[in-house]
């Protein structure tokens, strides 16, 4: 077994080598996809071991996320092929100036270096993350959840076979072999070896990283998203947007958890919301809401909870500033939406709500790399530095200034 | 006395208010500059108190950095006026797409929010940092070194008078009143209140922030910068560049600390370097260097030390890859330069050296906001996320996606 430190040292060395060009990377990605398909049997065997270990220990929903079959592996391979088709984000000249002293200063996009990803038990994250990191020129170090470890190992083995078949250093894709908590801590504290750590998972994982990481991290994915129904809202539209944002896929981070309603339209809107949701979504209301509809009384936690379920907290606000203040106090800065036909209200909301994605008259469910036209995503950043919202290939690059002179001194 | 927490809560509230427009900000900056000049007497009195406390406790160089006089205050005011003249970085539409479903997605530059700056004993940092943070739409929380506290207080008082005179909320500029270590720790751990922490100072401060911060930080300013004299170098040019990079201002982060020389030109170059530096710069060489010139023998630390003094470590390398490997092992990723007339060598060096600024045939001393044409700088980032190299106004912004629809659901 390789230790985490050994794997990181190899990764760092690999990141220092001359990087493959776009054509080489694309060829390698296709070979990785082919290898994944070719190794389907081994991957399914490994997955069966994971499933057996996990049976009875994790929920049916989590078990289903863990389970692979031929078609799921085929779609992982397809995912890799689609990354090959995306533009290479590296080597772009982002800015170029020639200074009066003759120095030419170019700002050029370059890979970040060693990107570590800590995730949970979805085996497809293994191939998705590896493909995105590789296409953007990074060396990835994957740390799978324990439940999916054998699946992840088989997938990484296949991906590395693909790299080797394409004549590329297989150490571009690495899997941490220690599945104890220690290896997560090792990644968080690997200063000088990990250039970026991306935690992909639940609140506990993200919080542990924020609390303990000494390497740069990007927080992803916790979404307490709000829909604010303004007094100038089209209530039919509002109802459709709230319904879609809450129920189209409640388990994802861009699903809405909270609905805020302007006092002047509350008595018109809330009974319709109650009708729409009554058998499908549990509404938890503040006092004003509970006076108007038979919602369950919300407790103190409900406005700070990412339910990821058919539950929605609902509050009445005095006006748009009340909505903005509520969001400032409770949001995770992921996605919020205002439903309004008043341009001034829309402008105030988008100017003052400090979230990665702020919507006017649309569902928060669109905060997604594919929906934004990025073609893919590594996660949704909810922090403000470096990348905000869906992180595509460009967000997996940094830049370097290259300055060319002919002897300039200062 | 206001506690650090009270100041941060006020700052966060201020960051949530509607931001002043460009004209308002510029008018306020001019008023801040005027107030600084008008308060010269009070600032000089406060500075005299700091100087008296510090006398005998800090070095003459540090005492000189601490000392203010009328002309230094005038140039601080001039600095603020020059920030007023720069372009406003906020509200720029960085990207805009209309998706097939009709959603318009705009990526818009916005202030980061509450920016905390921990610095040491240069009073001018107080006004520089406040002006840059304010112009970029941020609320700044300044934490001055203890030695400069009375000066910083008088400066901030003047700046807030200027804001008030221009009709702007004076809480855009704040000074932490607790000068114990506790307040630095409070800033590092103020999750949800500090959006960005910028430590400006020595290695100890930066390291303490990296180790302890739970809020996003940008590391700045530690520079172990290298000049590599390639075998295809013009040796006259190399000599001038090494001389300039080492001696034009040894105390700054973009000064060179290490010179690496290709073995094939070492016997031609090193004696000339020795002649040029003999009475001015102490050379500390590796074994190969010491065989050729009477340099002092370098010890293990010398290649990992930011001397900030008339001292330079010198080593002979086998080839360009030896130079690149040495830099990878010892650099702080600030600025490095190759002197060569070989385009292939220049290309290899700029592709593989992973620093914020990589030079061909120029002095590392140019890594500076002004020299890069940014008009100013908040510091030089040596990390890879968000901002790299000189941080100007644009780097003090983040972005937000504003998505406008007409009822789109997914």
């Amino acid at each position: 077994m390789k230790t985490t430190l050994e794997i990181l040292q190899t990764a760092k060395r690999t990141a220092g080598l001359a990087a493959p060009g776009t054509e080489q990377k694309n060829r390698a990605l296709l070979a990785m996809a082919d290898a994944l398909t070719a190794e389907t049997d081994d991957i399914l065997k490994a997955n069966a071991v994971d499933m057996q270990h996990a049976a009875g220990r994790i929920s049916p929903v989590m078990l289903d996320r863990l389970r692979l079959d031929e078609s799921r592996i085929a779609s992982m391979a397809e995912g890799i092929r689609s990354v090959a088709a995306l533009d290479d984000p590296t080597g772009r000249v982002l800015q170029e100036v020639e200074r009066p002293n003759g120095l030419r200063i170019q700002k050029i996009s370059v890979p970040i270096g060693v990107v570590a990803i800590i995730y949970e038990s979805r085996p497809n994250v293994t191939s998705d993350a590896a493909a995105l990191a590789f296409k953007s020129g990074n060396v990835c170090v994957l740390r799978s959840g324990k439940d999916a470890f054998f699946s992840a190992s088989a997938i990484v083995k296949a991906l590395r076979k693909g790299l080797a078949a394409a004549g590329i250093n297989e150490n571009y894709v690495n899997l941490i072999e220690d599945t104890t908590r220690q290896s997560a801590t090792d990644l968080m504290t690997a200063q000088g070896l990990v250039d970026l750590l991306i935690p992909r998972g639940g609140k506990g994982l993200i919080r542990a990283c924020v609390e303990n990481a000494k390497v740069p991290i990007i927080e992803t994915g916790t979404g307490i998203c709000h829909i604010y129904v303004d007094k100038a809202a089209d209530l039919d539209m509002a109802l459709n947007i709230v319904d879609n944002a809450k129920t189209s896929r409640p388990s994802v981070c861009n699903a809405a958890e909270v609905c805020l309603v302007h006092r002047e339209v509350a008595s018109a809107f809330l009974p319709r919301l109650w009708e729409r949701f009554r058998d499908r979504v549990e509404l938890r209301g503040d006092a004003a809401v509970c006076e108007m509809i038979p919602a369950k009384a919300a407790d103190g936690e409900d406005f700070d909870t990412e339910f990821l379920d058919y539950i929605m907290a609902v509050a009445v606000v005095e006006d748009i500033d009340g909505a903005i203040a509520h969001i400032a106090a409770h949001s995770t800065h992921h996605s919020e939406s205002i439903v309004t036909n008043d341009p001034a209200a829309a402008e105030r909301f988008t100017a003052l709500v400090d979230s990665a994605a702020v919507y006017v008259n649309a569902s928060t469910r669109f905060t997604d790399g594919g929906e934004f036209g990025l073609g893919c995503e590594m996660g949704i950043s909810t922090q403000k530095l470096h990348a905000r919202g869906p992180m595509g290939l460009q967000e997996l690059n940094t830049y370097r200034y290259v300055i060319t002179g002919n002897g300039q001194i200062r």
Side-chain angles (χ1 to χ4, degrees), chain A:
Chain A
M1 190 184 120
K2 275 187 251 162
T3 67
T4 302
L5 183 63
E6 285 165 353
I7 292 169
L8 286 175
Q9 285 167 335
T10 303
K12 191 71 195 174
R13 248 193 327 273
T14 307
L17 302 175
T22 304
E23 285 314 310
Q24 276 181 293
K25 288 192 287 191
N26 290 344
R27 237 183 302 117
L29 284 164
L30 299 179
M32 287 156 82
D34 291 345
L36 208 60
T37 316
E39 302 275 314
T40 295
D41 285 351
D42 283 358
I43 295 170
L44 289 179
K45 272 182 213 152
N47 185 246
V49 176
D50 282 332
M51 290 291 289
Q52 205 181 336
H53 286 166
R57 292 199 306 109
I58 63 176
S59 71
V61 174
M62 296 299 280
L63 263 185
D64 182 63
R65 284 188 171 192
L66 177 56
R67 191 179 54 80
L68 290 176
D69 55 27
E70 256 182 64
S71 98
R72 285 186 177 185
I73 294 174
S75 91
M76 285 161 61
E78 217 31 68
I80 299 177
R81 288 189 189 100
S82 71
V83 171
L86 295 172
D87 288 340
D88 189 336
T90 66
R92 288 171 299 137
V93 178
L94 306 173
Q95 271 171 35
E96 177 162 356
V97 290
E98 182 153 339
R99 300 290 301 159
N101 60 8
L103 281 181
R104 188 184 56 164
I105 303 181
Q106 290 178 306
K107 185 176 177 179
I108 296 175
S109 66
V110 297
I112 290 173
V114 175
V115 176
I117 300 132
I118 303 184
Y119 55 106
E120 297 179 333
S121 297
R122 284 164 55 180
N124 63 306
V125 174
T126 306
S127 60
D128 287 359
L132 294 174
F134 179 70
K135 177 71 182 243
S136 50
N138 297 291
V139 176
C140 72
V141 176
L142 304 163
R143 199 267 187 192
S144 162
K146 190 176 178 157
D147 290 328
F149 178 73
F150 290 99
S151 311
S153 296
I155 292 165
V156 166
K157 195 175 152 203
L159 298 177
R160 288 171 63 108
K161 271 194 188 175
L163 284 167
I168 300 283
N169 188 327
E170 60 188 11
N171 291 325
Y172 271 97
V173 176
N174 306 280
L175 182 71
I176 295 294
E177 298 179 18
D178 169 10
T179 56
T180 69
R181 266 169 194 276
Q182 183 58 43
S183 66
T185 307
D186 290 344
L187 291 176
M188 293 178 205
T189 55
Q191 288 157 272
L193 293 173
V194 170
D195 292 299
L196 170 62
L197 173 63
I198 304 176
R200 284 184 61 160
K203 211 163 84 176
L205 171 62
I206 311 283
R207 188 172 299 168
C209 284
V210 171
E211 291 285 335
N212 301 313
K214 298 187 196 307
V215 301
I217 67 166
I218 291 186
E219 297 175 51
T220 67
T222 313
I224 299 181
C225 302
H226 296 73
I227 312 276
Y228 165 57
V229 181
D230 187 47
K231 72 173 169 182
D234 171 332
L235 296 188
D236 292 330
M237 184 194 289
L239 211 55
N240 288 334
I241 287 175
V242 172
D243 190 349
N244 177 266
K246 178 70 261 178
T247 69
S248 61
R249 207 170 159 204
S251 65
V252 293
C253 60
N254 59 21
E257 306 292 6
V258 181
C259 179
L260 303 172
V261 185
H262 192 290
R263 177 168 296 282
E264 289 181 27
V265 293
S267 62
F269 181 73
L270 289 172
R272 294 184 63 190
L273 184 68
W274 174 254
E275 277 310 310
R276 178 78 82 109
F277 275 175
R278 60 187 315 162
D279 300 323
R280 298 191 296 137
V281 177
E282 177 183 317
L283 294 177
R284 301 187 183 174
D286 68 356
V289 168
C290 291
E291 277 173 23
M292 292 186 227
I293 56 172
K296 190 176 154 185
D299 70 20
E301 300 279 278
D302 283 327
F303 291 98
D304 296 293
T305 300
E306 191 182 17
F307 299 112
L308 301 174
D309 203 346
Y310 292 92
I311 302 171
M312 186 170 229
V314 189
V316 170
V317 292
E318 289 308 309
D319 54 19
I320 185 172
D321 286 343
I324 291 168
H326 181 105
I327 290 168
H330 300 278
S331 161
T332 54
H333 311 294
H334 188 300
S335 302
E336 333 290 343
S337 181
I338 182 174
V339 185
T340 188
N341 286 323
D342 173 7
E347 197 178 322
R348 187 162 184 84
F349 192 83
T350 57
L352 291 181
V353 169
D354 189 21
S355 296
V358 184
Y359 291 83
V360 178
N361 294 334
S363 169
T364 54
R365 290 276 291 109
F366 290 103
T367 304
D368 172 273
E371 293 294 333
F372 272 32
L374 307 180
C376 63
E377 84 180 28
M378 181 65 103
I380 312 276
S381 162
T382 55
Q383 68 176 41
K384 294 186 185 178
L385 287 200
H386 187 73
R388 226 175 168 190
M391 291 178 61
L393 291 173
Q394 290 193 11
E395 287 73 25
L396 293 170
N397 267 203
T398 177
Y399 55 84
R400 180 184 300 157
Y401 286 102
V402 173
I403 305 103
T404 311
N406 48 22
Q408 280 83 349
I409 59 175
R410 187 179 168 193

